Amino acid sequence: HRPESLAVERVMWGKNQTSAMVVARATGVILLAAARAGVPVEEYLPAEVKVAVTGMGGAGKDRVRHALTNAHRVEGVPAQADAADAVAVALCHLQQARLRSAARAAGVNVR
C-alpha cells in the first residue's frame, strides 16, 4: 500500500489509563512508521471526529455508527466499536482534507 496520508485519533486520558498507555504506544509506532515512509499524519481529537460525523462533539459510539451508515451512507461499517471509530476518523480526515485544500486554493494559510 502507498497511502497519501494518515489520520489518527489523538489519545485522550480517560478512566482506563492502562488502555490509554497501550493505545499511546501503538500510536507512537504508527507515527514513527509514517514519518519514516514520508507519509503526512493528521491527528484529530475525539470530539472533532464526532462533530464531523454527527454534528455533536459529545455523541456516543452508537450515534457515530448510526450517522456513518444513515447520514453519510457508508456501507459495511464494522460492528466492532474500535473499527467503526476508525471509519469515523477516516471520514473526518477526508472532510478536513477537502476543507484545507479549498482554503489553500483561496489563499488562506492552514496547518
Side-chain angles (χ1 to χ4, degrees), residues 16-56:
N16 191 337
Q17 291 182 0
T18 302
S19 291
M21 289 301 297
V22 170
V23 171
R25 287 178 186 154
T27 301
V29 171
I30 291 165
L31 296 177
L32 176 62
R36 286 186 174 175
V39 176
V41 176
E42 292 289 339
E43 288 185 278
Y44 299 97
L45 293 170
E48 287 179 287
V49 174
K50 292 173 184 178
V51 167
V53 175
T54 70
M56 299 181 313

Side-chain angles (χ1 to χ4, degrees), residues 80-103:
Q80 183 183 9
D82 291 338
D85 286 349
V87 173
V89 171
L91 179 66
C92 175
H93 184 59
L94 288 172
Q95 291 173 351
Q96 292 297 317
R98 287 184 193 130
L99 289 173
R100 287 188 191 112
S101 178

Side-chain angles (χ1 to χ4, degrees), residues 12 51 55 60 65 71 105:
M12 302 298 295
V51 167
R65 190 171 194 299

